[in-house]
Amino acid sequence: MWNHLPVDANFGGIAFAHTEADIYFDPALRLENVELTQDTWAGKYIRTFDVWGKSSRLDIAQAYQTAEWTGLLNGVPASTSRTGWSDTLVRVAMNLYGAPPLYGEAFARYRATAGRETIVGVGMVLRLPTGDYEKD
């Protein structure tokens, strides 16, 4: 979990990222001057809970992406594009040390008086193959 959140709470968010990049390939692939332009829209849901007296959480993230690559293939201008859903990411995490599981007002009081805090946690991320894939 690695940050302190109140227990039995729901959080949600959305994000947008625009990426432009030059991509360098092994010369054996005969791809040169490859450029990427990508837009990503993502949403995330977080649910916090108490497991065995430890602050824990479940995160679910889903993104939709559009991307275009341009460059030279065997010295000839070429391009390709992809649009679709990314794989769904599911993360389960638990704080093992620090960040006690607190609810509502108790959480607010603790955070108001707590100084710097060491937090140690463990987590597992599952990448579910829910995205759009090319059949070939």
Side-chain angles (χ1 to χ4, degrees):
M1 198 157 140
W2 306 289
N3 59 345
H4 199 189
L5 297 172
V7 174
D8 283 343
N10 296 295
F11 300 91
I14 57 173
F16 172 78
H18 176 77
T19 305
E20 294 182 13
D22 295 326
I23 302 175
Y24 299 96
F25 288 94
D26 184 319
L29 296 176
R30 299 183 182 164
L31 291 165
E32 299 176 274
N33 303 327
V34 178
E35 295 180 359
L36 163 71
T37 302
Q38 178 174 297
D39 290 328
T40 303
W41 296 265
K44 187 171 191 174
Y45 169 76
I46 300 170
R47 172 68 183 174
T48 61
F49 48 93
D50 180 336
V51 174
W52 303 312
K54 303 292 183 186
S55 297
S56 305
R57 70 192 260 179
L58 171 71
D59 300 16
I60 301 171
Q62 181 66 59
Y64 186 82
Q65 298 177 310
T66 60
E68 181 177 4
W69 295 263
T70 60
L72 300 175
L73 174 60
N74 292 324
V76 177
S79 67
T80 188
S81 63
R82 300 287 184 271
T83 299
W85 295 102
S86 70
D87 289 343
T88 303
L89 298 178
V90 177
R91 177 177 171 241
V92 179
M94 176 189 291
N95 288 332
L96 302 174
Y97 176 83
L102 300 170
Y103 299 78
E105 291 181 13
F107 175 82
R109 283 191 304 274
Y110 178 84
R111 293 306 325 149
T113 60
R116 195 175 294 225
E117 182 176 26
T118 299
I119 299 173
V120 177
V122 63
M124 178 177 65
V125 177
L126 299 173
R127 183 181 198 114
L128 305 178
T130 59
D132 292 335
Y133 288 88
E134 297 294 316
K135 293 190 185 326
D136 59 352

